Amino acid sequence: MSGYTNFAIVGAGVIGNYIVQQLLKDKAAGIVNEVVVLTRQGSRTTVQGDAKVIQVDYSNDESIKQALTDVDVTISTVPVAALDVQGKIAAAAKEAGVKLFVPSEFGGITVGAETEGRSGAKTKANIQGQLKALGIPYAAFYTGPFADYIWASFFNLDFTSGKVSVGGDGNKQITFTSRPDIARYVSYVLTHLPAEQLKNRGFSIAGDSKSFNEIFKAYEEKTGKKLEVTYIPISELDAKLAANPDDLPIALHRFWATAGSFQRTDNHLYRDWNPSLVIDNLPVAKMREEN
């Protein structure tokens, strides 16, 4: 093992909590020394396990800097609405002596989206330029949509309702990775790869690649329930985004309908990874109970 051992995670939400819990498992195994979780002042965030939770005033550079003292790697898992705070966190991390910054990517590949694409993708892409300007090394992780999370009404993919909507014709191959698998990969790479192999690098990982139509068919075969699928033309998605560029569900469906699955991956860097398939993460058990 030649990687880092002291970690700070900014936020412990949708993906952050999974990374925290995996790092704590690795701490129990003697691979990780310290796990610090940064939360906003007044937050009621609680973390199960042996993590140090520090409430931070993100408007105060010194508050952030103190929380990041003796940290090797800062992992940002802030949501899209809070992406702008990453520049301030990264600057404080640089002053605190943090050796590597992991920006909040954990989705589609955003390289090249600095001037085009939805606003969230632009912000994610621009932070890498800010990190280079600061002179703090970074490692970005691209995972595709979360295979265990997106099957919900917010994304128009609530299977249990029997009605789903997707952009385009539903035939585009898409990369999916579950949050537990992402956490295992991130922790492994950061604790095992030499620092030089992590510096200013993007890691593309894929738990599975399937089209929505393939997923719908697999779901119907497993549950015996027919889904009512609405296909939204890309022209209609574009019109909706022109009216509201920050409509996240629509922006995601536009991206999924056109970007496609990753052309190459870095799965090989963790040979024992063995991620789960999309069908393993569908709400099939709940559906069987209701039937």
Side-chain angles (χ1 to χ4, degrees):
M1 186 179 71
S2 55
Y4 296 111
T5 59
N6 297 315
F7 296 86
I9 299 85
V10 182
V14 173
I15 180 64
N17 187 53
Y18 285 83
I19 295 175
V20 169
Q21 294 305 316
Q22 182 60 50
L23 288 171
L24 288 176
K25 288 181 182 178
D26 290 338
K27 182 179 180 182
I31 299 171
V32 169
N33 288 336
E34 187 73 78
V35 180
V36 178
V37 179
L38 274 59
T39 65
R40 291 185 180 277
Q41 282 189 336
S43 170
R44 297 182 179 180
T45 300
T46 59
V47 177
Q48 293 183 340
D50 186 21
K52 182 179 181 181
V53 180
I54 302 177
Q55 292 195 354
V56 173
D57 178 2
Y58 287 115
S59 67
N60 185 314
D61 295 344
E62 191 61 31
S63 176
I64 305 171
K65 181 179 175 181
Q66 289 181 5
L68 296 178
T69 301
D70 298 325
V71 167
D72 295 326
V73 181
T74 297
I75 304 173
S76 173
T77 65
V78 298
V80 172
L83 287 174
D84 288 340
V85 77
Q86 289 189 113
K88 181 179 285 290
I89 296 170
K94 171 70 173 178
E95 290 189 20
V98 171
K99 300 178 180 66
L100 186 75
F101 190 91
V102 176
S104 185
E105 288 283 349
F106 308 109
I109 297 173
T110 58
V111 175
E114 291 85 354
T115 57
E116 298 182 2
R118 59 185 175 86
S119 57
K122 291 179 184 178
T123 305
K124 286 185 175 184
N126 286 328
I127 188 63
Q128 295 186 26
Q130 296 177 40
L131 294 171
K132 288 179 181 178
L134 283 169
I136 184 170
Y138 68 87
F141 292 89
Y142 306 113
T143 64
F146 302 153
D148 62 321
Y149 179 74
I150 67 167
W151 317 113
S153 57
F154 178 78
F155 302 101
N156 301 316
L157 291 168
D158 182 9
F159 282 52
T160 59
S161 73
K163 297 181 180 180
V164 293
S165 300
V166 294
D169 61 10
N171 288 323
K172 198 76 170 179
Q173 291 286 308
I174 301 169
T175 293
F176 295 88
T177 316
S178 74
R179 290 173 294 173
D181 289 331
I182 293 169
R184 288 193 301 113
Y185 186 96
V186 169
S187 182
Y188 178 86
V189 166
L190 295 179
T191 56
H192 286 75
L193 262 61
E196 282 304 311
Q197 291 186 29
L198 296 167
K199 184 178 179 180
N200 298 348
R201 175 173 177 176
F203 294 86
S204 300
I205 63 175
D208 195 7
S209 291
K210 289 286 186 296
S211 71
F212 277 118
N213 285 339
E214 289 174 323
I215 295 169
F216 298 155
K217 181 180 179 182
Y219 179 83
E220 290 174 344
E221 290 176 349
K222 275 210 164 189
T223 64
K225 182 176 178 65
K226 185 71 175 177
L227 290 171
E228 182 181 329
V229 183
T230 298
Y231 296 98
I232 307 173
I234 292 177
S235 59
E236 185 176 332
L237 296 174
D238 287 339
K240 289 179 180 293
L241 285 176
N244 180 12
D246 294 320
D247 188 330
L248 181 58
I250 293 298
L252 287 172
H253 277 286
R254 174 66 169 80
F255 183 78
W256 296 334
T258 56
S261 58
F262 298 163
Q263 296 303 304
R264 68 165 191 83
T265 74
D266 295 294
N267 290 14
H268 64 281
L269 295 175
Y270 184 3
R271 296 187 181 278
D272 297 327
W273 188 36
N274 297 320
S276 60
L277 303 178
V278 173
I279 191 63
D280 298 330
N281 290 282
L282 299 183
V284 173
K286 182 178 179 181
M287 198 66 229
R288 281 177 175 163
E289 291 173 5
E290 292 176 352
N291 286 342

